[in-house]
Amino acid sequence: MSQFFYIHAQNPQPRLIAQSVDVLNKGGVIAYPTDSGYALGCRLEEKAAMERICRIRNLDNNHNFTLVCRDLSELSTYAWVDNAAFRLIKNNTPGNYTFILKATKEVPRRLMSEKRKTIGLRVPSNPIALDLLAALNEPLMSTTLILPGNDFAESDPEEIQESLGKQLDLVIHGGFLGQQPTTVIDLTGDAPVVVREGTGDPKPFL
């Protein structure tokens, strides 16, 4: 059964953040809070952990995994971004958006959409997620925790523990959250394309 940490939503306890990062560094899969429901996360280099996430969510090879970053300083390492796209991202982060971008060679092939060689990238505003990322000191390979057959992100950490506790290494209880996922913006073409409307306002990209 997974560990279950109660972490304060606004003032995360450093001790529990450090223990959460230790789980990730050991190859673990965690459920953690974001600003758009709960997500599953693991380290980029952990192939077995990513495969576990794929089984939990029943994902195929064309799924865009998301690199969750603490700020935009890591952007150019993992994605090709022109000046116009960078300004759009900068003006709307941190926030409830996932940006689809062309991946660089620094991104493991297994994390990309197989057909398009793209990667999702987002900068959350959730304090727990930001503290996790700061302590980990690298992006988190992540996907929204939407179970097969459902349309919404999981919002109740106790239900996550009950249904997925045997498949996860850690569930972080960071409060009961809204269920709507991020707004997804494709920035790989000449103009932004709103792929999915969610919690982020799509108007800046229309």
Side-chain angles (χ1 to χ4, degrees):
M1 203 68 175
S2 65
Q3 297 184 76
F4 193 73
F5 293 169
Y6 287 88
I7 298 185
H8 194 281
Q10 298 303 319
N11 297 293
Q13 303 94 314
R15 175 180 60 85
L16 294 178
I17 292 293
Q19 290 179 22
S20 302
V21 169
D22 188 51
V23 172
L24 290 165
N25 283 331
K26 290 177 179 175
V29 174
I30 70 169
Y32 70 100
T34 73
D35 33 17
S36 56
Y38 279 81
L40 297 173
C42 68
R43 292 188 65 201
L44 269 67
E45 62 191 45
E46 297 293 344
K47 182 180 179 182
M50 192 205 81
E51 290 171 349
R52 286 168 58 195
I53 290 175
C54 288
R55 288 195 295 271
I56 291 169
R57 281 212 47 200
N58 194 24
L59 299 173
D60 62 25
N61 290 336
N62 292 315
H63 179 75
N64 263 305
F65 279 97
T66 299
L67 298 183
V68 179
C69 304
R70 57 183 160 176
D71 55 38
L72 295 183
S73 64
E74 296 160 323
L75 180 61
S76 62
T77 303
Y78 299 101
W80 299 105
V81 185
D82 62 24
N83 289 336
F86 182 81
R87 283 195 297 272
L88 276 172
I89 295 170
K90 185 177 180 182
N91 290 339
N92 292 280
T93 54
N96 301 333
Y97 299 97
T98 299
F99 300 100
I100 305 299
L101 303 164
K102 291 288 186 184
T104 68
K105 292 180 180 179
E106 294 299 316
V107 178
R109 288 179 63 86
R110 66 180 183 276
L111 301 187
M112 300 180 199
S113 166
E114 195 171 79
K115 290 180 180 176
R116 300 183 62 213
K117 302 296 185 283
T118 54
I119 190 72
L121 185 139
R122 68 170 304 211
V123 180
S125 58
N126 181 280
I128 294 173
L130 289 172
D131 280 12
L132 267 178
L133 292 163
L136 186 63
N137 200 33
E138 65 183 50
L140 200 58
M141 200 291 294
S142 191
T143 186
T144 305
L145 180 40
I146 303 174
L147 293 175
N150 291 354
D151 295 323
F152 298 102
E154 294 297 307
S155 61
D156 184 336
E158 294 177 3
E159 289 184 1
I160 295 170
Q161 174 74 346
E162 188 173 325
S163 60
L164 296 177
K166 292 181 180 178
Q167 299 176 67
L168 301 173
D169 299 287
L170 169 65
V171 175
I172 293 175
H173 190 313
F176 299 93
L177 307 176
Q179 293 181 296
Q180 199 171 11
T182 55
T183 293
V184 178
I185 311 294
D186 189 330
L187 294 175
T188 60
D190 294 333
V193 175
V194 179
V195 177
R196 178 184 73 196
E197 286 195 30
T199 45
D201 184 357
K203 289 191 185 70
F205 305 95
L206 297 176

